[in-house]
Amino acid sequence: MKPDEYDDLHVRFERDADGAYRTLITAPDGRTTRGIFRCPVSDEQLDDFVRTVGLVRRRASVDRARAIKAFGGSLFDALFVEQAGNAYVAAKAAADHSQRGLRISLQFSGAPELLRLPWEFLYSRPRFISQSVSTPIVRALDVDAARRTQPIELPLRVLGIVSRATGEVDLDVDDERRKLEAALEPLQRDGLVELEWLERATLRDLARRISEPDDIHVIHYIGHGAYDEDTESGILVLERADGRPDDVSGEQLGAMLQDEHSLRLVVLNTCEGARTSHVDPFSGVATSLIEFDVPAVIGMQFEITDDAAIAFSETLYRGLSHGMAIDAAIAPARRAIMAVRDAEFGTPVLFLRNGAARLFDILASSRAATRAVPGAAPEDVASAEPVADATPAEPVEMVDPPARTDHPAAELQLATAADVAPVAPVDWRATITRTVEGKQRVIRVDLQLGQPHVITIADTTFTGVLTVDGRSLSTFSPPDRFQLSEALDTKDCVLATKVFTIGGAWTRYVTLFRVDGVDIPVTDDLFPASEWTASAEYALLGDGNGRTVLRVTLDEPHEIVCQVGSFSSTIEIDGGQTISNPFSNNVPLTLLDGGTERACRLLMSQGMPTWPKEVARVVAFWADQRGIHVDHGPLPPVE
């Protein structure tokens, strides 16, 4: 079979009388065949099947295997009966003759209730249809064709979301996150995938994250799904600011994500016991996301065990990072599940927008760079020593820009002391140190105001405990805002942090620290004092545009200008190189410094509390494995 080349066999379902369904099968050559489908099981029988197959931790594998074959065989026989069966056999033979695959696209717009059936178990002796890369099964929606695939450079950027709302069935958040991290660790090490976690599973935090100007290619959700009897639709259980459950419909989530054009795939990973009846709560969410222009959604229709989830995710994301179409990538991912948990291969369900099978067009230059230099990055802060011997990833390819046009200083509208937050008193300062205590990484902030204060964040990637002067304020994600008690008053604080994962190693950075509206000078042990220096200035340009100017002095002075606009973004380096539309908050680049090419990395953030979203704030700068302390200039006014 030629890789990723498929003929399409479309099967459309429409309701008919007496509980039956009309089928219209369209072959690759355009010929059509009409048939009748009668569901081979009742709702009660489907419930029994789900309880037998779906609760994988509670049933013997022999029972599941027997039940799956019996169910899949009856489903196949009910669908491909008589002339419909002849159409399938003919299409498969023609595809085999031309050394192509046959994609079986099931379309349920006229009978959405059939989405509840686990079609991924279709069985024609001696094999299950979906297990072969030559016959992927997809659930296609009758909506307009997906957006045209855009070329991307590796790594594939995955945003992970773990929801742990109070009052829901307990989840081991660290364990759930660990599964995905374990699955993607080899890919991150090779520079193929970059995994980032949303700090809190709230709509507000999601909105803030997707408003940043970098690409998000995949969202991977781990949490609860439910079925709303009143609206007859599926929901995801996210969190409110106070930790209580927030039932979010597929329409709400789709509306939130509709303008994230780089997003091509959403993976919905149910937690233990998410489905115990014939109702699949994620089907409604998936179809809503497809309607809001997400090209592909994968949902887990049953509970999935740890080793099966790891095997599936690692194989799926590896295939996608090599440019495979999603339906081609999911077949070997199913076989990877079979190697560890035979009966769970049908758990993943693929929903597709028309024409959306190829999600990513990986640039050849990106693949070559990845093969040459596996994802190198600042060293994991798993020790108390500063991260000073890290190796930034291979710089991205630059293009020559048009001739540079100097901008008058007045045009930048750089904020002055008159229109920004007040300057910190000379004795207000903060010092950050990092240590490891057991399995937790601890950031300690020693803050000096009118009196000394100690703030710590003890976490394992994204969850942890924020402690202020001995008071524990959070047992989940550190909040952005809290209060400090001084002798005569109470001070309002904003402490914004961001985790960057590079080459498999993650580090939490303090991106902004304010007390009573005053910006606190911060000294961080990641960036010891040296002869190399950096300073940043920020500007609002109006009309949704902002500019950041980073001046770096190594052996020679350099200037990096990042301009963020409503529809485009650029990074200009020393007036001679430009990265167009980088849409990344983690940018590798090269500086020619005194005749030496220095590998550098620029980390940025947007959407922080009290910070204008139009302006990218510099979080960190690395040059030749050394962290450079950045002095931040006056902040632009918040409008």
Side-chain angles (χ1 to χ4, degrees), residues 568-586:
S568 63
S569 177
T570 60
I571 295 179
E572 184 181 87
I573 304 169
D574 287 339
Q577 295 176 322
T578 296
I579 305 174
S580 298
N581 293 318
F583 286 110
S584 177
N585 54 15
N586 184 343

Side-chain angles (χ1 to χ4, degrees), residues 57 175-187 220 222 269 300 304-318 332-333 336-337 340-341 344:
R57 304 173 197 267
D175 186 59
E176 291 293 329
R177 188 173 60 247
R178 178 191 59 77
K179 297 175 197 175
L180 188 58
E181 290 174 342
L184 300 189
E185 193 278 331
L187 305 183
H220 193 115
I222 299 172
N269 192 357
M300 303 298 168
I304 188 167
T305 51
D306 298 3
D307 48 0
I310 291 173
F312 177 82
S313 296
E314 194 276 339
T315 307
L316 175 73
Y317 287 124
R318 181 175 295 279
I337 292 177
V340 293
R341 293 280 179 172
E344 295 180 49

